[in-house]
Structures are given as structure tokens and as C-alpha cells.
Amino acid sequence: MVTDARSRSRGILDRIGALLPFLVPALLLLGLALAGVLVDGGRLFCSTPTLALDLPSERAIPAAVEVAGMQRDMVWQFRYAPIGTEFRSGIPYWIYRAMPRLFPDDLDGRGYEKLGFTSDNDHAYYASRPVPRGLILTDTELQVPPFPVAVRLKRVSFNCASCHRGGWRDPGDRSIHLVDGMPNHTADLQGFKRYFFKNVHSERFNPRSVLGAINEELASLGSPALTPTEELVYTGIVEVMKRQPGREWMDRRADNGPRRLDAFTAVKDEVLGVPDDGTVATVDFPSLWNQGAAIRPWHHWDGNTADSRARNFGSTVGVGGISMSVDKPEVLAVGAWTEERLRPPPWPDALDRPDPASALRGRATYLARCAACHGLYDRERASIARAAKGDLYMTVVDVKTDEGRRRAFPPAAAAVLSEFGGRRNLWGFSAFRGNDPKASGYLALPLDGIWARAPYLHNGSVPTLDKLLGPPDRRPREFYRGTMTYNRVEVGFEYDAAKTDEGRERLFLYRTLDSNGAPIPGNGNQGHEFTVADDAQRADLIEFLKTL
Ligand code: HEC
Ligand code: HEC
């Protein structure tokens, strides 16, 4: 069957060859629309097509199986609804399936699981889905001028939950617990992006091999091979994907690894097109709860905006939304939910119960040493008590942590990004403020649900609370990231590969120094030396932090 499909596609390709002079202009337009390289080609997406081209292979895509009586409520919307990123970064489903077949080596033969996209074990809404946790499948319908014809195509893309829904594994019974708004600790978004950008430029990514791989995927599901029309469509898609510009800026910076992203350099390079200034803005995914202005009047690690639309739409644009495609009602609904409804998860009793006497002693230390900057979160009321007049809560303070992220967003970048969104009615014309390169730092932020926000600091450079609050020379220079196994003693994810379920090969080695012993820009774990040297006193403080 597989060989049949291959020889058939060869015959088709020969026939296409003869037609090529006529087809190229139409295909190019089609491909441009599909790959979404017309960054602001809004008109391709707006008018209602009069005729739709149905591709039979779309019906071969395994269906999502809903749980009986499933309600599409706000939580469903957050986890599964598209937000509009598919138009620029969505990958046609069959290309997504064909890639691991064509390029298995970069994935160690494990498919997308290698990049942290593991199965969704949360069966509240679906018994099964055709894509793993962290990815969604979206219907897209594109009009191809000058013909009044649209192609219906499902594409694989990201939504807010791709980065902002994560989980932890109980070291006792090995069960995995997923939490909305917790950073997705396993997903390697840069790895995913790089996998595609690297391989579409290789020789092996050509119409013939892609059509062959798609047909093999179809055959493995017992479905018929692509029709001649579909082969034309996919030939166009392949040609245009090959013409995508590379993402060289990523190669000039250290690997992000799972749960980290250089969102602001991506925006500067890929959306704003400003020349590479060499700065590194790689950060840890933040948590999403309590985004209301009473607790978080400023957003992003460097507090560069107070505008909630800039915060929500900015994330969409950063991962491939374009002004026309951003699903504004959906994104605004998710944004409002993070402000009004989403609260931090309590420390799980399954891990242990915080000792009340110890936590009370820790509270005293916290009030004396930490509250002036971090406020005191009241879990019952979901509110913050401020320490005193003149405290530094939610102001930008220089505590001498890695300077990469704050240097990456100077006033000039803020002006360009504000203007970009202002013109497109995504946010206000002065929505972003830049960081003064001489006197700046990061937000002194609330510590609500801090147990679920490990690893710590804006760049995720310190694995546990114990390491952050202990003597600075005990912070590990390198450690493993990407396991969900939780370390309840130190409070954070396990960082010693031997103590994880995954083991060394499947985790990411985070390094602060390169092989010559030189600091890796963006990866430093110095600063924030508000340490508690006494072991017992530190244990009490950590016991208290578990209750926030
Ligand atoms: C590809 C990963 C990714 C996706 C998808 C994503 N975000 Fe984010 N988000 C980030 C990163 C990284 C930051 C931190 C950026 C920084 O400060 O440099 C962030 C910051 C935020 C913040 C600010 C948090 C704070 O405490 O300052 C909010 C709120 C937010 N995102 C909401 C959203 C919403 C809503 C969506 C969907 C519309 C979304 N994000 C999609 C990665 C993502
Ligand atoms: C002078 C203000 C200040 C004081 C005092 C202070 N911090 Fe911080 N803290 C900050 C700032 C600013 C950051 C953000 C630094 C960064 O991300 O690089 C931070 C970050 C943190 C983080 C990491 C948050 C995250 O999401 O990763 C934790 C945990 C923390 N502080 C705990 C404490 C504790 C506990 C104390 C008291 C022993 C304390 N801090 C004292 C200003 C302060």
C-alpha cells in the first residue's frame, strides 16, 4: 500500500510538471495564504468565500472524542479554544504528521513527546484528542484571490494553555496533576519552532517526499491517499514553507529549553523587523492567576505594561497571531478570567501538610525580611496586604539578578511596539514603557502560589526555594529542567536527573556557564541575596511560603 501511494504520487508530480507554468502564480498565492507569510494580509481572511474546497484527507484526521455531557465553559475555552495564532504559525495537520516520519532523528524517534508535548491525561472534556497537551487543532478556511474559492484546512497551533497550563508529578504515587495557569514545565516551544524552521530548509523537505510521507500516514490509518487536487495544494504549501525566512536570531543565543522563551526578541525580530541588538530576553513562563490590577497592576517580568490588552494581545502576536487573525473576544474573555476567577492552586496535601507552628515562625521572618517588596498574599480573600507606605511592591527594583531581559526592552523598543499595536487597535499608543538601561530591574511581585512557580527568578535560573533563599554559593551552576517530579522538601521541581522519572537523556541541562567557564548571557543565577543562612529558620520560612 505504501509503495502504491509513492508511485502514484510520482505520476501525479510528472503531470504537475507539465502544468507548472500555469499553476505557479495561483499556487504561490495559495501557499502564501496557507503559510500565513502575508504578515498583515488581512484581506485574505476577511470576506466570506462563495465556494469552499473540501479536502477529503481532512476527514481522515482522527476526531476528538468528547466526554458525554461536556460543557464548553470558560475553563474549556482557556484550554482548547483557538486564539488566532494559527494564521501565522499554524501547521497543516498532515504536514505536522509527516514531519516526524521525514525527520525522526531530531526527535530521537519519539515524535513530539521529545519536545515535551505529552498526552493529555485530563479527561474532564475529552476522552482523547488528535494532538497532545499543549497543542490545539483549529479549523481554518482561507480565500485565495483572485478565485472565490477557499480551502478548508485544520492546522496545529498554540493557545494560552500551551504555555500557561502545567503540572507536577507526585513523587510518591507518580500521579500527574495539571493546573490551569501554572507554567507548562515540559513544553519546549523554541525546540518545536526550531525543528520546523530547520527541517523545511533541508533537501529532504520537498513535494515528493512530503506527499509520500503524508500518504504513508494516511495509509497507516487505513485512509485513501491524497487526491490530485490535494497533491496540488500540498505542493504549494511545501514550496512556500521552504521560502520562510530562517530564524537565525535563535542560533545566536543559548537554547531556551523547556518552559522558557525569548518572547520579546521574537517580537522584535519576527514582527517588528528591528535589527538584532544582541540582547537576550529569555524568561521563564510566568503564572497566570490573579492578574487583576489590585494584585498585579503591572505586567511582564520587567513591568513594561499596565495595559491588560497589551498583555493579552501581546502574547498572541508573539506566537503568530496577526492583527486580523487575533480572536479578540476569545483573548479578552481569557484575560478577564485570569483577573477575576483564576486563583493560585493551594499547596497539595498529597505532598505533605505544612506544619502550622513552623509556618508561623516563618511568617515572622517573612514580615520582617520580605513583605516590604512582595506584600502579603491572603489566600482566603485573594488580596494583598501592603507592608507600609513607601514599600516597593510591584515596583521595578534592581536586585542584581541577570540583566539580559531588562536590557532587551529599552525605551526605543517600547515605542516601536506601542506604535505597532496602537495602529492596529490592539492596545494603546503608549501601552509599553521601556526599561531605563542605567536604573532598572524586575518587578517585586506577589508570591501567590509560589510553590507552583518553580524554578525561580525571571529566567528560571534557581531550581528550588531552598536554593534561592540559602547561601548564594549553594545555587547550582547547572541543573536539570523539564521533569514534573516535585521535590517537596526543597520546594520546586526535582533538578537531580537521577531522582526523576525521565532520567538525564530526556531532560534539559540548564547551564549558567559555557564549556569555557564564561557566563551564558541571560542564564545567570546571581543576585537577590535575601538569604536566610540558618537552616532551621530557612525551613520555617519555606514552610510559610507553601501556604501562600
Ligand atoms: C508561547 C508561550 C506563550 C503563549 C502561547 C502565551 N504566553 Fe503569556 N507569557 C509568556 C511569556 C514567556 C511571558 C513573559 C514575558 C516576559 O515578561 O518577558 C508571558 C506573560 C504573560 C502574562 C503576564 C504575567 C505577569 O504576571 O506579568 C499574561 C497575563 C499572559 N502571558 C497571558 C497570556 C494569554 C491570555 C495568552 C493567550 C492569549 C498567552 N499569555 C499566551 C508565554 C506565552
Ligand atoms: C528589595 C526588594 C526585595 C526583597 C527584600 C525580597 N525580594 Fe524577592 N524578589 C524581588 C525582586 C525584584 C524579584 C524579581 C527578580 C527576578 O525575577 O530576577 C524577586 C523574586 C523573588 C522570588 C522569585 C519569584 C518567581 O516568580 O520566580 C521569590 C521566591 C522571592 N523573591 C522570595 C523572597 C523572599 C522569601 C524574601 C525574603 C527573605 C525576598 N524575596 C526578599 C525583590 C525583593
Side-chain angles (χ1 to χ4, degrees), residues 244-256:
Q244 292 271 340
R247 292 289 184 248
E248 286 82 15
W249 68 268
M250 291 198 292
D251 301 331
R252 292 191 286 269
R253 289 157 176 85
D255 285 354
N256 296 171

Side-chain angles (χ1 to χ4, degrees), residues 301 366 369-370 373-374 392 397 399 401 442-445 447 450 453 455-459 465 468-469 528 530 532 541 545:
W301 291 104
Y366 183 85
R369 307 264 323 265
C370 323
C373 284
H374 293 293
L392 297 171
V397 188
V399 291
T401 54
Y442 300 101
L443 278 182
L445 62 189
L447 300 184
I450 193 67
R453 287 157 51 180
Y456 298 103
L457 299 181
H458 70 279
N459 56 354
L465 284 180
L468 179 71
L469 302 171
H528 195 280
F530 306 104
V532 181
L541 176 61
L545 292 173

Side-chain angles (χ1 to χ4, degrees), residues 78 83 85 158-164 189 259-264 281-291 296 298-304 308 311-313 315-316 318-319 330-332 334-335 338 394 405 443 445:
F78 167 70
I83 55 172
T85 61
F158 305 119
N159 68 0
C160 313
S162 303
C163 301
H164 294 298
L189 272 294
R259 193 206 147 156
R260 294 204 329 147
L261 198 71
D262 190 336
F264 279 94
T282 307
V283 291
D284 225 22
F285 300 167
S287 57
L288 225 63
W289 41 79
N290 284 332
Q291 290 296 329
R296 283 181 172 77
W298 292 94
H299 309 291
H300 298 143
W301 291 104
D302 60 343
N304 65 12
S308 61
R311 176 197 75 195
N312 300 331
F313 293 144
S315 280
T316 318
V319 291
E330 164 62 23
V331 173
L332 290 176
V334 172
T338 65
M394 282 311 256
R405 170 67 181 82
L443 278 182
L445 62 189

Side-chain angles (χ1 to χ4, degrees), residues 80-325:
Y80 301 112
I83 55 172
T85 61
E86 56 277 6
F87 287 112
R88 260 185 80 217
S89 59
I91 297 153
Y93 179 81
W94 290 111
I95 300 264
Y96 162 86
R97 289 261 317 221
M99 290 297 279
R101 202 177 264 277
L102 286 170
F103 304 98
D105 296 351
D106 293 347
L107 302 174
D108 301 342
R110 287 160 51 207
Y112 297 107
E113 193 218 309
K114 149 92 178 168
L115 301 172
F117 297 99
T118 50
S119 72
D120 199 338
N121 78 343
D122 176 272
H123 296 311
Y125 297 95
Y126 294 102
S128 71
R129 293 197 311 132
V131 288
R133 176 173 70 89
L135 298 174
I136 56 164
L137 198 57
T138 311
D139 287 309
T140 58
E141 195 170 273
L142 302 174
Q143 187 174 352
V144 187
F147 314 106
V149 175
V151 178
R152 284 195 193 126
L153 206 63
K154 278 196 181 355
R155 294 205 263 172
V156 178
S157 65
F158 305 119
N159 68 0
C160 313
S162 303
C163 301
H164 294 298
R165 178 172 178 245
W168 56 278
R169 184 190 287 113
D170 189 325
D173 67 7
R174 300 268 179 276
S175 55
I176 288 179
H177 304 263
L178 295 174
V179 181
D180 295 314
M182 185 171 165
N184 184 348
H185 195 61
T186 57
D188 181 353
L189 272 294
Q190 185 197 42
F192 188 81
K193 187 165 162 181
R194 207 176 236 165
Y195 175 70
F196 279 89
F197 277 99
K198 175 186 156 209
N199 289 318
V200 300
H201 291 124
S202 87
E203 294 263 307
R204 219 164 1 127
F205 190 80
N206 59 58
R208 183 162 296 178
S209 61
V210 173
L211 295 183
I214 293 178
N215 281 334
E216 284 176 35
E217 285 296 317
L218 284 163
S220 73
L221 297 175
S223 301
L226 296 173
T227 64
T229 311
E230 291 178 306
E231 295 199 333
L232 280 180
V233 168
Y234 279 101
T235 301
I237 294 173
V238 168
E239 291 304 340
V240 171
M241 283 181 84
K242 288 190 88 65
R243 288 193 188 91
Q244 292 271 340
R247 292 289 184 248
E248 286 82 15
W249 68 268
M250 291 198 292
D251 301 331
R252 292 191 286 269
R253 289 157 176 85
D255 285 354
N256 296 171
R259 193 206 147 156
R260 294 204 329 147
L261 198 71
D262 190 336
F264 279 94
T265 307
V267 169
K268 287 195 298 188
D269 184 273
E270 298 166 19
V271 181
L272 305 176
V274 299
D276 191 351
D277 58 7
T279 54
V280 180
T282 307
V283 291
D284 225 22
F285 300 167
S287 57
L288 225 63
W289 41 79
N290 284 332
Q291 290 296 329
I295 295 183
R296 283 181 172 77
W298 292 94
H299 309 291
H300 298 143
W301 291 104
D302 60 343
N304 65 12
T305 187
D307 181 333
S308 61
R309 296 202 316 151
R311 176 197 75 195
N312 300 331
F313 293 144
S315 280
T316 318
V317 170
V319 291
I322 60 171
S323 50
M324 266 308 298
S325 75

